[in-house]
Amino acid sequence: MKKILLVYNPVSGSANFKRKLDEIVEAFQRRNILPAIYRTRAENSAEEFFECVKIFGAEGVIISGGDGTLHRVINWIKNFEINLPVGIIGSGTSNDFATHLEIFDTEKFFDAVAENKIRPVDLGLVDGEEYFINVASAGVLTSIAHEVDARQKNALGKIAYYIRGLGELPKFKTVPLKICADGKNFELDAFLFLVLNSPAVAGMKKISDVAKIDDGKLDFIALKNCSPRQLLTLTKKIFSGESIQDEPNVFYLQAKNFEISSPENLTSDLDGEIGGLLPLKIKTIRHAVNFYVT
């Protein structure tokens, strides 16, 4: 019997996952898979997680939660060099990476786990210490996810972020950035920047046409200084699912390695979690994790 460690965040999104736990366990058992349950808590440590994987003898890890939960567990896995395939059951407010992979808790997903259908996926590594799976960012919008009230976020979902962002629009200002991408230097003023692994971010499914999760590169997108009307037009395109990489008010490039700095005091965001202050050194780790895919 195949052994899978099912890791879940009990407070992700609307906290509904625990109500579905029995049917998910049943779906695994029908496929001769034995799941062990690991409930994340604020005080969880990488060491505790590693001991759980080792004692149970897990052959794969399934993560249920939002992008922040995925970020945390992926870092545990990489820090302890746990070479196991990973699956996602998106249950957070924003499940960008799971949405991009078109992974949902359907029969097809459980079949993929049983049949060991996997795909290698790149990761970003920041300052040689912390991995991100989907996006690293900084600028005027990156603090919104951390400022939205949890009750409002659970009630309204992604709309809560957009409401907060529109309320902050009059305060938007650009910051000077210096970017070194694979040895080439650039300078610009921007409202924010994103370093993407996939084209899906903040509930928007296709911010770039060419971003791929397994090409050994990351995609840098910055919203340049422009008028409020131009910024609103650009924002509408993003929310409607249109790619913006070729827009005149967008700076875009691909590279394996980035160094990003600013004279401003900017805090980064990694997969929706608070990261370190700029400057950032970001490296692409190609095919760092295998994901179960349908």
Side-chain angles (χ1 to χ4, degrees):
M1 183 172 275
K2 188 173 186 174
K3 295 181 179 181
I4 291 289
L5 184 64
L6 176 58
V7 181
Y8 81 98
N9 184 339
V11 298
S12 281
S14 55
N16 282 329
F17 176 79
K18 53 184 176 285
R19 298 184 183 94
K20 300 167 61 177
L21 188 55
D22 182 68
E23 64 183 79
I24 288 172
V25 169
E26 188 271 339
F28 279 126
Q29 289 185 184
R30 270 193 285 116
R31 292 164 175 82
N32 203 35
I33 297 172
L34 176 65
I37 312 301
Y38 185 82
R39 181 180 185 272
T40 65
R41 309 179 305 280
E43 64 270 21
N44 285 142
S45 67
E47 290 80 7
E48 179 184 283
F49 172 78
F50 176 67
E51 283 299 310
C52 187
V53 170
K54 187 170 64 173
I55 291 169
F56 181 59
E59 299 165 70
V61 177
I62 307 297
I63 304 164
S64 175
D67 294 322
T69 304
L70 181 61
H71 174 90
R72 187 183 188 195
V73 179
I74 288 294
N75 273 276
W76 288 347
I77 287 170
K78 294 304 295 180
N79 289 339
F80 273 92
E81 299 181 349
I82 299 170
N83 187 23
L84 295 176
V86 173
I88 316 169
I89 298 175
S91 59
T93 302
S94 184
N95 307 295
D96 293 318
F97 202 74
T99 300
H100 173 64
L101 286 179
E102 298 183 345
I103 294 176
F104 309 98
D105 52 342
T106 62
E107 294 295 307
K108 286 178 66 177
F109 172 70
F110 296 114
D111 287 343
V113 176
E115 297 164 14
N116 206 42
K117 290 183 178 178
I118 57 174
R119 176 181 179 181
V121 169
D122 302 337
L123 293 176
L125 179 61
V126 179
D127 296 333
E129 295 180 351
E130 186 168 4
Y131 294 89
F132 66 89
I133 191 161
N134 199 49
V135 59
S137 63
V140 292
L141 292 174
T142 56
S143 63
I144 289 173
H146 309 295
E147 295 172 357
V148 171
D149 180 81
R151 288 171 296 181
Q152 184 186 27
K153 187 169 68 171
N154 288 341
L156 299 176
K158 296 167 191 169
I159 296 173
Y161 297 137
Y162 304 152
I163 292 172
R164 181 60 184 252
L166 290 171
E168 295 292 317
L169 194 58
K171 303 177 186 177
F172 282 7
K173 69 181 184 71
T174 59
V175 293
L177 296 174
K178 290 184 178 181
I179 304 107
C180 179
D182 289 344
K184 295 181 179 179
N185 296 306
F186 307 89
E187 293 188 24
L188 69 150
D189 291 338
F191 288 107
L192 80 159
F193 72 83
L194 307 165
V195 181
L196 300 171
N197 191 23
S198 88
V201 61
M204 297 162 278
K205 296 180 181 179
K206 195 180 180 183
I207 201 168
S208 165
D209 280 329
V210 297
K212 294 181 180 179
I213 58 175
D214 56 3
D215 60 357
K217 296 179 181 179
L218 295 168
D219 296 62
F220 182 96
I221 290 181
L223 302 187
K224 296 190 291 188
N225 193 7
C226 58
S227 71
R229 173 173 284 188
Q230 290 171 319
L231 184 60
L232 277 173
T233 300
L234 197 56
T235 303
K236 286 178 183 177
K237 287 189 174 183
I238 294 171
F239 289 159
S240 65
E242 297 181 47
S243 171
I244 62 166
Q245 70 194 43
D246 296 323
E247 290 291 321
N249 293 311
V250 170
F251 177 83
Y252 171 82
L253 57 86
Q254 282 187 321
K256 295 179 180 178
N257 301 293
F258 294 93
E259 293 185 24
I260 307 164
S261 62
S262 174
E264 300 282 341
N265 190 29
L266 289 181
T267 300
S268 65
D269 178 289
L270 307 178
D271 295 328
E273 301 294 300
I274 296 174
L277 292 169
L278 267 63
L280 302 178
K281 289 185 178 181
I282 299 175
K283 180 180 181 181
T284 309
I285 309 298
R286 191 175 190 208
H287 295 179
V289 180
N290 287 319
F291 272 81
Y292 294 114
V293 293
T294 55

